[in-house]
Amino acid sequence: MCAEKRQRECHAFQDNFENADLRARAASVHSRSINFCKGFFMTGLDDRERAFENKFAHDDEIRFKTEMRRNRLLAGWAANLMGLSDTDAEAYVMTLVKSDLEEAGDDDVFRKLRADLDAKSIDVTDHKLRTVMDEKLVEAKQQVMNDS
């Protein structure tokens, strides 16, 4: 819109001049105004793109921190069920956090918890385990948001 308007104004301005030198100067002004408009709009788009990239990076960092916090809370819950000592519970927290890095999603954590609870003969249904995972995720998100 800006470039079209400037172009119409410059053509009207150029038509008023008989002198070729004045026409050339008017064309130069027209070219600078188009470059200014392009620069203005491109800067706005670049800023917007950077803002979206920054938001995506921030959201991704929050998601990662939330998942890691959830895994710590889950490990504490499971360690309590298994009756682990404080030092064993801390070691278990680290193994559960590391297990989440095996693949994308929550299935790796679920499988690790399921296997560990089954090994200790602790009766927890899959539904209950998924429910606790969801509850701990909500709790972790609240904690991360309060920390930020």
Side-chain angles (χ1 to χ4, degrees):
M1 186 76 174
C2 182
E4 292 173 8
K5 183 178 177 185
R6 282 291 205 191
Q7 188 175 17
R8 276 187 266 126
E9 288 175 0
C10 283
H11 285 301
F13 187 66
Q14 285 176 350
D15 290 340
N16 291 333
F17 292 105
E18 299 292 327
N19 188 331
D21 184 46
L22 291 177
R23 282 188 190 157
R25 283 207 263 163
S28 172
V29 167
H30 167 68
S31 133
R32 284 194 304 265
S33 68
I34 286 179
N35 289 337
F36 170 77
C37 289
K38 284 181 183 175
F40 175 76
F41 288 117
M42 291 308 292
T43 301
L45 290 175
D46 291 341
D47 291 345
R48 188 172 178 171
E49 182 180 352
R50 270 192 295 273
F52 279 125
E53 288 172 358
N54 289 341
K55 182 181 181 336
F56 178 78
H58 179 262
D59 291 349
D60 195 46
E61 180 183 354
I62 294 294
R63 183 190 54 76
F64 178 77
K65 286 180 178 180
T66 301
E67 287 177 2
M68 290 300 112
R69 181 77 55 96
R70 186 239 10 226
N71 293 340
R72 288 181 165 279
L73 294 170
L74 270 173
W77 172 80
N80 188 35
L81 283 179
M82 292 185 275
L84 299 178
S85 67
D86 289 344
T87 55
D88 290 340
E90 282 299 314
Y92 185 69
V93 166
M94 295 312 296
T95 60
L96 190 66
V97 167
K98 287 179 185 175
S99 75
D100 188 29
L101 302 176
E102 292 174 8
E103 64 185 49
D106 296 334
D107 290 337
D108 46 357
V109 173
F110 178 81
R111 283 193 305 271
K112 171 81 171 133
L113 283 169
R114 174 87 276 151
D116 293 344
L117 292 172
D118 288 346
K120 294 281 188 172
S121 300
I122 298 173
D123 187 30
V124 176
T125 64
D126 288 351
H127 178 72
K128 174 66 176 171
L129 192 53
R130 292 275 183 196
T131 302
V132 171
M133 288 176 73
D134 292 341
E135 290 169 356
K136 296 299 180 186
L137 183 63
V138 170
E139 185 180 341
K141 187 165 188 154
Q142 290 171 348
Q143 289 179 7
V144 168
M145 292 309 206
N146 289 338
D147 291 348
S148 295

